[in-house]
Amino acid sequence: MTILTPQPPGIPLPTPSTVTQPYWDGCRQSELRYQECRRCGAHPLRPVPQCPNCAGEVLWCRSKGRANLYSWTVVWRTAMPEFQIPYVPAIVLLEEGAYLMSAIVGCEPSDLATGMPLTVVFESYGDVILPYFDGATREDAWPAAQTVSRDSLVKG
């Protein structure tokens, strides 16, 4: 049995920029944030200073921290010795409709399935807090979607 866990201290950590700083500030407050365009409602795939679709203003929004697994790979051989294997980099689809890249913890690699419900958890690495997504089943988890696509989500 190999339960996926957060990476140990000593891994390379991101350096926040002026564009990404609100995201990292949110993580320090145990708050997952994503961007949404004020004009067209798009969710950029990476932090940007303006919407890539319409050049509109993007806002940082607070997520409920629930997602479905969209895509992943299991890494059994790493090019960087600081990383503990296995680990699972993944793209998750937040309940709010934004995609986010993170890593999966709390379950075995063999448990992973498209659409499985996930909940954000935060791990401290000193000044940097990283979000991971926990694959353990929880009663309050967002139910797995029948079809994982942005079009299938209804904004509340």
Side-chain angles (χ1 to χ4, degrees), residues 34 43 93-99 142 150 153 155:
Y34 64 96
H43 300 109
L93 178 58
L94 298 177
E95 183 177 277
E96 295 83 6
Y99 290 91
W142 187 38
R150 291 179 82 155
L153 296 175
K155 287 192 171 190

Side-chain angles (χ1 to χ4, degrees), residues 105-124:
V105 297
C107 62
E108 294 186 46
S110 61
D111 294 336
L112 299 171
T114 301
M116 77 181 286
L118 304 166
T119 305
V120 71
V121 294
F122 296 92
E123 185 74 18
S124 176

